[in-house]
DNA sequence: AATGAATGAGACTTCATTCAT
DNA sequence: GATGAATGAAGTCTCATTCAT
C-alpha cells in the first residue's frame, strides 16, 4: 500500500528491504526493545529518512504480520478447496504452514510475540485472520471425522492439537539444521493422524492406572504447587510417637 | 527470602499479593507495556512503597518464573523417579504440567512471552531449568522406545512434539471452560502415545499421495509465498498459451 | 543542642555516636551519595529511630562542621592571645590546625567538600567562622610583618599561602603514616617563615630568567591551552618558504 | 570524537558550549546538586536534545576533567623537558598551573570536588593523570635537591607542599581581582624556593620555644578538642583541687 | 525509643515522532 | 530523498521524610 501519491521507482524495493531488517531485529530483541535508532543503524539510514518509508513503528508490525498471514491464508484456502482426501489436504496444509515457519522464522517470532502491541483496528484484522485459518483446519478435520477416518472427538480439540503441534515449532526450530518442512510435516501428520484415527482399544489400561495412582498416592499430588511451601523444608511437626521415648 | 534485614509479619503476604497482580498485568498487556505506575495503581500503592516490596521490575519477572519452574521441576522429578511404566509416568507428568498451566495461566503467559527481558544471570538460570525439564521428558520417552512401546524415532523429535502439544496450550485455554487438566492430559496422551506407537503400516499411501501432488501440480506450490507478489494483484495478464490446452 | 525537651540519659551519647558514623560515611562516599538508609544500616537503627536522633540530614552537616570549627576557633583565639612572639603563636596555631586535621580527617573532608549543601542560614554561620579563623591568622602575620621579622608583602597574600599549605593537607594525609601533626607543622612553618622572611636578594636572577623565557620562546606559551586544538594534529598550514622550492 | 556516525558542522561547537555551561553550573552548585533539567534550562534546550549532545551526565564530568588535565599534562612535560635550571622550570610550571586555574576556574572546582562521582574506569584514568603530574614536579624538585640548590628533605614532602600551595588556590582566587597567574607564581615560588633552600640556621630558637610551650603549659593543649566538651558548657564544677595548686 | 510502612517529588535516561533545510 | 536537530512524554528507580503503632 504505497502511501503518499508519487514515489520513485526504488521506493517499494527499499521499503521491503527495511521491513526485512525490521523483522530480523524485532525477532532478535523483541519489538519493544528495538528502537527506531537501532533500525536506522541497521538499515544505514537516518531517522528522518526512515520515517519516509515506514510511516510509523507500529506500521512495521502490521506489514510483518500481513506478510505472514496473507500468503498463508490464501494458500490454505487453495489447498482446502482441492478435490482430494481430507487427510492429504491436511498433510499439504501442514507442510505449507511449516514451510512459511522455516522460511520466515523472523516474522513468525514477531507474529507470535508482539501482536499485542497492535492497536485496536489492526489487532482485530489480525485476530480475524487467525480465526479464518483455524476454521480452514477445523473444516478439514471435520470432514475426516465425518468420513470415519478419525474417531469421534470434540472438533475444536482436534484443531487445537493440530495447531499446538505446528505453531509451537518456531520456538526451537533451526533453519540451518537437518530437518526441513517436509520432514516435520511427515512426522507431525504421522503422529496426529494415527493418534486421531486408531480405535479406542490401543491404550486400555493407561487411564485405569492413572486413576489408581491418583487414588492411591494422595501424598504425591499431580498439582506441582500442592504442599509446595512445605516441600523443601523438613520441619515435620514431630507427630505422636516420634522422637525419643 | 526477606531482603532488607527487618520486616514485619505482613510483608511477605503483601509481597506475594503484589507479585500475583503483577503477573496478571504482565499477562494481559505484556511486561514491557506494563509500567510500574500501572502496577502501583492496580495494587493501590504509590511507587515508592511498591519498590519497598519488589526491589525492581525485573525481579518481578524472576519471581514469577520461579513460581512456575520451581514446583514444576520438583514434581516432575518426583514423578520420573516412580517405579512404574514410563507411559504412566508420562501421563502423570502431562497432567502435572497441564495443571500448572490451568492454575497459573498468567504466569505461563509471562513465562513464555517475556523471558527475553531477563538479564544475563537470571536468563541463564531460567534456560537451565527449561533444559532440565526437557531432559526429564526425553528420558521417559527414551525408556518407552527402549522397551519397544514406541516405534524408533529421533528422540529429540518425540520430546519436541510432546512439548509443542502441551506448551502451546496456554495460548487458547480457558480456565472457566468445560475442559480441565485431567481431560486435556488424557486426550493429548492418547494422541501422542498412539501416534508414537502404531506400527508403520497405518498411513501407507498418504506420503505417496503427497509426493505425487507435489510432482504433478507445480502450479500450486506448498510454499505460501511462491508467486505471492502476483497473486493479490489483478494484473494477471492471463495471456494466450497459459493453462492447459 | 538537645532538641525535644525531655530525653533519656543515653540520648546525647547515642546521638554523638551517630554523628561520628555519619561523618565517616560522608567522608567516604560524599554527602549527596550517602542515603539515610546507608546511615541506618551502619548505625544499626531503622530510619524512624534515626530521625529521632538526627532531626534531618542537613542537620548532620551542621553538627559535623560545628565539631570542627567550634574547638578550632576557640583554641585559635586562646593561642593568638598568648603573650609571646607572633612566630611562636603561628607555629602553635599551625600545629593546632594540623592536629584536628589528623584527628578528624573525616570531618575535614566533609567540611571541605560539602559545605555548599548547607542552606542559607547555616551557610552564613559557617562562612563567618571561616572568616574569623582567617582573621586570627592575618593578625599574627601582620604582627610579624610589623616587627620586621617578615618582609613587607600584601597581608592577605601571606594569609592565603598559610591557609593553602595547611588546608590542602587533608587531600593526601594518612593518619596511619609516619608523619604526624607536629612534624608537618615544623616543616610547613620552616618553609613559610623562611620564605616570608628572607631578604629580597636570594633569588635575584630567577625572575629575570622567567621574563626572558616568556619573551624569547613565544612558541612555548605557559598557558596550557594555548594552541591546544592544533597540538596533537600536525596540519601545519605550509606557510610561505616551507616545502619544496 | 563524534559519537553517532553523522553530525552536522555545528554539532561540536554547540557541544563545547554545553560543556562550558555545565562546568559553570557544577562549579556553582556542585555536580550532584545540578540536575539535567537545570542544565537544560541554562542551555535553552529540552532534556532530549541535551542528551543528543552529552551522552550522559557522567560524561560531562569526564570531558570537563579532560579539558583540564589534557593540556596541563602536555604543557608540563614540555616544560620539564627544557634544558634549563630546574628552578626556572619549576617557576614556569607553576605559572602554567596557575594560568589554567585562573582561566578555567569552573573546571578546577569540578575537578577538585566531584571527581569521586566518576565510575571505575574513568576514575582510574583521572587518578593516573594526577599521579603523572605529581611525578613531573617530584622530578624537578629532586633535581634541585641533587644539585644542592635545595636542602635535603623528604622528596614527597616537598612535592606536597608545592601542590598544596598551588592547588588550594582555586578556593579563594578571583579572576576579576588585581592578582594574576604570573604574580601568584612569583610569590609562591619566592616562598617555596627560599623556604626550601635557606640553610638550617634561620629559625633556630623557634622549635625550642615550641617544645618548651608544650611542656610548660599543659592546660593549653594544642589539640583543639582537648577538654572541648567542658569548654562551651557552663557546668564547670570548678570544684576544689582543680587547676594548679 | 523504635519500627516498618508509606509517600511524593525528583533524578537520569530513552524513545517515537516531527520538521526545517 | 535525506539529514541532523529538537521535543516532550513516559519509564525506572532513589530518597528524605513522616507517622501509626
Amino acid at each position: 500500500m504505497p502511501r503518499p501519491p508519487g514515489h520513485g521507482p526504488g521506493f517499494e524495493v527499499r521499503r521491503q528491504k527495511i521491513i526485512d531488517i525490521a523483522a530480523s531485529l524485532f525477532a532478535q530483541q523483541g519489538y519493544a526493545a528495538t528502537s527506531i535508532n537501532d533500525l536506522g543503524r541497521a538499515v544505514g539510514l537516518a531517522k528522518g529518512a526512515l520515517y519516509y518509508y515506514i510511516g510509523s513503528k507500529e506500521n512495521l508490525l502490521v506489514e510483518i504480520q500481513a506478510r505472514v498471514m496473507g500468503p498463508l491464508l490464501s494458500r490454505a484456502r487453495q489447498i482446502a478447496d482441492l478435490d482430494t482426501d481430507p487427510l492429504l489436504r491436511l498433510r499439504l496444509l501442514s507442510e505449507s504452514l511449516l514451510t512459511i515457519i522455516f522460511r520466515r522464522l523472523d516474522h513468525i517470532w514477531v507474529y507470535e510475540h508482539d501482536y499485542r502491541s497492535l492497536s485496536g483496528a489492526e489487532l482485530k484484522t489480525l485476530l480475524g485472520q487467525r480465526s479464518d485459518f483455524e476454521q480452514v483446519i477445523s473444516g478439514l478435520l471435520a470432514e475426516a471425522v465425518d468420513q470415519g477416518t478419525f474417531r469421534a472427538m470434540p472438533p475444536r480439540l482436534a484443531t487445537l492439537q493440530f495447531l499446538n503441534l505446528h505453531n509451537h515449532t518456531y520456538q526451537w526450530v533451526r533453519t540451518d539444521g537437518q530437518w526441513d518442512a517436509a520432514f516435520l510435516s511427515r512426522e507431525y501428520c504421522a503422529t496426529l493422524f494415527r493418534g486421531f484415527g486408531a480405535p479406542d482399544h490401543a491404550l486400555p489400561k493407561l487411564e485405569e492406572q492413572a486413576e489408581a495412582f491418583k487414588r492411591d498416592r494422595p501424598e504425591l499430588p499431580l498439582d506441582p504447587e500442592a504442599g509446595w511451601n512445605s516441600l523443601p523444608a523438613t520441619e515435620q511437626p514431630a507427630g505422636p510417637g516420634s522422637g525419643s521415648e
Side-chain angles (χ1 to χ4, degrees), chain A:
Chain A
M1 46 181 98
R3 217 84 43 74
H7 272 311
F11 178 84
E12 194 57 27
V13 173
R14 188 149 204 185
R15 186 162 173 275
Q16 293 300 327
K17 242 175 228 157
I18 290 171
I19 300 174
D20 283 342
I21 296 175
S24 164
L25 290 182
F26 292 169
Q28 284 169 48
Q29 321 169 7
Y31 173 77
T34 303
S35 75
I36 291 289
N37 250 344
D38 292 340
L39 181 56
R41 207 173 307 124
V43 169
L45 227 40
K47 270 187 291 192
L50 219 52
Y51 270 84
Y52 175 70
Y53 290 102
I54 67 174
S56 78
K57 194 184 176 191
E58 189 181 353
N59 189 49
L60 287 170
L61 219 47
V62 173
E63 301 271 359
I64 287 168
Q65 287 168 336
R67 276 185 176 184
V68 169
M69 277 319 260
L72 179 59
L73 206 46
S74 167
R75 186 59 39 105
R77 285 180 174 132
Q78 288 181 313
I79 291 172
D81 287 346
L82 290 173
D83 185 25
T84 67
D85 186 12
L87 255 60
L88 176 59
R89 281 177 282 160
L90 280 167
R91 167 68 177 76
L92 297 174
L93 210 158
S94 156
E95 185 167 334
S96 211
L97 173 53
L98 287 164
T99 298
I100 206 167
I101 290 175
F102 268 81
R103 177 100 70 74
R104 292 282 195 184
L105 191 50
D106 287 350
H107 293 63
I108 302 289
W109 262 103
V110 178
Y111 171 84
E112 292 285 344
H113 274 73
D114 295 310
Y115 69 88
R116 285 188 305 187
S117 298
L118 287 175
S119 69
E122 314 289 4
L123 182 57
K124 202 172 163 190
T125 301
L126 173 69
L127 294 180
Q129 289 176 318
R130 286 196 182 203
S131 169
D132 288 350
F133 185 74
E134 280 186 32
Q135 280 194 304
V136 171
I137 292 177
S138 291
L140 292 176
L141 288 166
E143 278 190 56
V145 168
D146 286 349
Q147 76 180 25
T149 311
F150 290 168
R151 63 186 151 94
M153 64 173 95
R156 179 151 174 75
L157 182 57
T159 304
L160 292 170
Q161 289 186 71
F162 185 98
L163 290 172
N164 279 6
L165 203 52
H166 287 81
N167 283 344
H168 211 67
T169 303
Y170 78 95
Q171 281 273 356
W172 48 261
V173 82
R174 302 196 136 244
T175 55
D176 57 354
Q178 51 185 338
W179 300 340
D180 63 4
F183 170 76
L184 276 187
S185 178
R186 216 150 49 222
E187 292 290 328
Y188 285 179
C189 288
T191 302
L192 288 173
F193 296 170
R194 284 187 192 116
F196 288 168
D200 248 359
H201 64 83
L203 305 158
K205 300 178 310 185
L206 182 59
E207 290 304 327
E208 283 172 29
Q209 289 175 332
E211 287 301 317
F213 178 87
K214 290 196 253 186
R215 185 187 341 110
D216 301 336
R217 300 285 299 269
E219 84 287 2
L220 209 167
L222 296 187
D223 180 353
E225 289 182 298
W228 172 247
N229 286 335
S230 56
L231 270 187
T234 50
E235 68 241 13
Q236 301 220 6
S242 81
S244 67
E245 197 225 51

